[in-house]
Amino acid sequence: MAHDDSTTSEKRIVAIYPGSFDPFTNGHLDLVERSIRLADRLIIGILRNEQKAALFTVDERIEMVREVVSAIPNVEIATFDGLLVDFASRSGASVIIRGIRAISDYEYELQMALMNRRLRPDIETVFLMAGEAHSFISSRLVKEVIRLGGNISGLVPPSVEGRLRKRLLGEQQ
Ligand code: PNS
């Protein structure tokens, strides 16, 4: 999908990778690295959802994601509220990336993808599978494990682990 310089009718693929990212995990990072091989530009879209109780503020999540992806070319970070497809459309994106870990993810993801397609038929959802080493990681479980004293190294980037330790265990970094 990435553009080919030899063609005259070049089409640049802009993709959105949306989510809550509370916190950003190594599973998310794996998806970003896979997505940027398919798209010319990838926008990580952090949902601003005041109703959903989050551990990290949106500003903290922007910083957290930036620390981890800043060295990856053509990856940007943005926030959105309202409909994802409207944000995609405003951003000039034609692709929405979602990760599928297990079959249990599929039903909810299919429903969202079909609803988004109904709202904006010109935007395609692409499902990517995280590498098997990451297929069991979720933001929710990472928070639960660290809260209960478990080891989360390797599940989140080191900078994110530091933030989690500070927030949930009161450790000074
Ligand atoms: O990381 P998450 O929490 O699984 O991400 C869910 C997200 C942000 C992709 C989804 O909640 C979303 O798209 N919200 C925006 C509102 C919207 O467009 N709703 C209709 C989707 S069918």
Side-chain angles (χ1 to χ4, degrees), residues 18-21 28 45 47 49 52 80-85 98 108-109 111-113 115-116 119:
S20 308
F21 306 112
H28 294 132
L47 177 67
N49 185 350
K52 207 166 157 182
F80 73 101
D81 47 24
L83 286 176
L84 169 60
V85 285
R98 290 290 287 170
Y108 169 63
E109 293 297 335
Q111 224 179 355
M112 273 208 305
M115 180 61 82
N116 284 334
L119 294 168

Side-chain angles (χ1 to χ4, degrees), residues 5-69:
D5 286 332
S6 65
T7 57
T8 45
S9 59
E10 96 177 22
K11 180 167 163 47
R12 296 185 64 77
I13 306 286
V14 180
I16 302 271
Y17 178 35
S20 308
F21 306 112
D22 184 46
F24 192 79
T25 68
N26 280 345
H28 294 132
L29 178 58
D30 180 90
L31 258 284
V32 168
E33 286 167 342
R34 286 173 199 282
S35 305
I36 200 57
R37 295 207 287 265
L38 304 175
D40 296 290
R41 249 178 85 206
L42 179 72
I43 303 169
I44 300 175
I46 303 175
L47 177 67
R48 284 186 181 275
N49 185 350
E50 309 305 336
Q51 285 147 4
K52 207 166 157 182
L55 180 63
F56 294 100
T57 66
V58 170
D59 287 343
E60 285 170 330
R61 282 179 270 156
I62 295 171
E63 263 179 55
M64 170 192 298
V65 178
R66 188 174 293 130
E67 282 163 2
V68 178
V69 305

